[in-house]
Amino acid sequence: MKKIRIAGAGPSGLTAAINLAKAGYEVDVFEKAPDVGKHLKGGLQGLENWSDKKDIGDELREMNLGINFDLDPFYNFSVSNGRKSWDFEADPGTPAFYLVKRGSVPGSLDYGLKEQALQSGVNIRFQEKAPLEEMDIIATGPVKNEVFIAAKGIAFDTSMDDMAIAFVDDRAAYLGYSYLLVTNGSGCMCTVLFDRFNNVGNCLENTKRIFSEMVELDIQNPRPDGGIGSFSLGCQFESNAQLYVGEAAGLQDMVWGFGMRSAMRSGYLAARSIIHGEDYEKAATECFRNKLKASLVNRYIWERFGARNYSMIFDALKGTRNPPKYMQSFHNFNHLQRIAYPFAIRKMRERYPELSL
């Protein structure tokens, strides 16, 4: 077995590394930062449970990943636009999503995957930036010229009760949303923008003010949090015998920015292709193509019918018998999305000319 070299120690790269090492391969992971998740400071992010029928916990185990990190299930969440609020509840036993910590801190997803990789025999070479042309798997994160999402916020310690609240208003998050997440003494408040990124600082200040009016905030030891995201409908999964995973391949959710589940799945598929001699590009295309198309249609609907306060969208979602199951349909390119797709793709190419759509 030849040595496998991976660029990037994020969730996609480490998932690939863990699977390859468990199959007996010698694996080197090159990470230019001094540790995993270095730009993240213990902030909270969501692993959605609505994009697939399979529970994320079962999927992680299927991908040969142990759950040695905090994975907190949430069954309830609320959304407000300042004029109206919507409370959503998942079916008992089926969380709407899970919250995970990010960054190089104990209990985080990044820290847990690093520990699993090291225990499996992976050699993580921190503060080394290897030439990409020498890599077998590219897991370097967002593609800078295809950025469509920017997030800025704070992670903090708190005595607040667990909660998950989203706020949709262009003053707080242009064409996106703000959120306040709290679980087990950790909190995160963030604004997520899909345009006008130079206004992210003002949006964060508006977000802080709005949430302070909604709940009694207790923010201790605040730390900066945030990041960027890229998306590509014309995903490059393979080029010159190199495999691309996660956002390096263009995998991201164009509506919410929930990309971790796809990132880890792509890393798993890349490892399988090496271990079993499978066609990675074919497997990844079959897995993600329709989800990416659905995501683009959803972004078009969000921007076209949100009409600034987004009431129409959340009224429709609240009116369904099972909102998470309804959302699952709209993440898997249903019949209505297939009809809308030709119009949506044309409009979104005009809207986002810098993306590979």
Side-chain angles (χ1 to χ4, degrees):
M1 295 181 182
K2 75 166 187 171
K3 178 182 289 189
I4 302 298
R5 294 165 296 183
I6 301 174
S12 60
L14 290 180
T15 298
I18 291 165
N19 277 273
L20 287 162
K22 286 183 175 180
Y25 285 82
E26 187 177 352
V27 183
D28 280 351
V29 175
F30 295 83
E31 172 54 56
K32 63 182 181 181
D35 203 349
V36 293
K38 199 59 183 175
H39 70 286
L40 301 164
K41 307 297 181 182
L44 300 170
Q45 294 182 3
L47 272 170
E48 82 283 3
N49 222 26
W50 57 69
S51 60
D52 201 274
K53 293 181 180 179
K54 190 174 297 179
D55 183 87
I56 187 64
D58 294 334
E59 184 173 7
L60 291 171
R61 286 182 280 269
E62 181 185 273
M63 293 189 293
N64 301 311
L65 300 176
I67 302 178
N68 63 337
F69 47 87
D70 296 339
L71 186 69
D72 298 340
F74 269 67
Y75 297 85
N76 306 301
F77 63 97
S78 63
V79 180
S80 173
N81 64 3
R83 305 167 186 84
K84 189 174 181 179
S85 295
W86 300 265
D87 295 320
F88 296 97
E89 184 173 353
D91 285 343
T94 307
F97 59 91
Y98 293 85
L99 288 184
V100 295
K101 285 182 184 177
R102 298 298 311 275
S104 53
V105 297
S108 72
L109 172 69
D110 307 87
Y111 196 90
L113 291 179
K114 180 182 75 169
E115 290 300 303
Q116 291 182 53
L118 294 174
Q119 289 169 10
S120 300
V122 176
N123 179 29
I124 307 179
R125 300 167 65 166
F126 289 112
Q127 294 184 291
E128 287 195 43
K129 187 178 179 181
L132 290 183
E133 63 272 12
E134 298 178 5
M135 299 295 102
D136 299 291
I137 296 176
I138 309 297
T140 48
V143 179
K144 292 232 171 101
N145 63 348
E146 295 194 341
V147 170
F148 79 104
I149 181 175
K152 182 179 178 66
I154 55 171
F156 54 90
D157 303 324
T158 185
S159 61
M160 297 167 63
D161 293 336
D162 293 358
M163 66 180 68
I165 307 173
F167 189 85
V168 287
D169 184 284
D170 286 350
R171 296 168 300 163
Y174 188 72
L175 297 178
Y177 60 100
S178 298
Y179 60 81
L180 174 62
L181 305 172
V182 178
T183 179
N184 292 324
S186 295
C188 187
M189 183 192 302
C190 203
T191 178
V192 185
L193 281 68
F194 288 77
D195 206 342
R196 303 183 184 178
F197 301 146
N198 60 344
N199 200 36
V200 68
N202 289 333
C203 284
L204 180 57
E205 289 306 310
N206 287 335
T207 292
K208 291 177 180 177
R209 176 182 54 78
I210 288 166
F211 281 127
S212 69
E213 294 170 355
M214 295 175 66
V215 299
E216 186 174 345
L217 295 176
D218 172 40
I219 297 176
Q220 305 168 27
N221 187 26
R223 306 169 297 278
D225 192 42
I228 59 173
S230 62
F231 175 91
S232 175
L233 197 61
C235 289
Q236 176 178 264
F237 292 117
E238 191 168 352
S239 178
N240 298 322
Q242 293 178 305
L243 310 183
Y244 289 74
V245 297
E247 285 186 285
L251 296 174
Q252 184 54 276
D253 172 25
M254 207 174 182
V255 177
W256 307 104
F258 284 74
M260 286 185 291
R261 188 170 189 171
S262 293
M264 289 186 285
R265 171 58 66 174
S266 67
Y268 171 72
L269 292 176
R272 277 187 60 91
S273 72
I274 294 172
I275 296 166
H276 300 291
E278 297 174 354
D279 187 330
Y280 170 62
E281 186 163 12
K282 179 181 178 182
T285 299
E286 290 177 354
C287 182
F288 299 114
R289 184 65 175 172
N290 281 344
K291 289 184 180 295
L292 291 168
K293 287 183 175 181
S295 180
L296 181 136
V297 175
N298 291 342
R299 168 50 48 181
Y300 168 74
I301 292 171
W302 179 267
E303 294 191 7
R304 176 66 179 81
F305 298 102
R308 293 184 300 278
N309 62 26
Y310 305 97
S311 288
M312 181 185 297
I313 293 173
F314 288 102
D315 282 342
L317 184 60
K318 185 64 177 177
T320 63
R321 297 177 63 181
N322 189 333
K325 188 173 182 179
Y326 184 76
M327 291 171 68
Q328 183 183 111
S329 169
F330 273 84
H331 278 75
N332 288 279
F333 209 42
N334 63 26
H335 180 67
L336 290 175
Q337 290 173 315
R338 292 172 190 270
I339 294 172
Y341 180 75
F343 184 78
I345 185 68
R346 185 172 73 252
K347 291 296 183 182
M348 296 309 285
R349 280 173 176 161
E350 297 172 0
R351 170 75 177 84
Y352 293 97
E354 69 279 11
L355 303 184
S356 298
L357 301 181

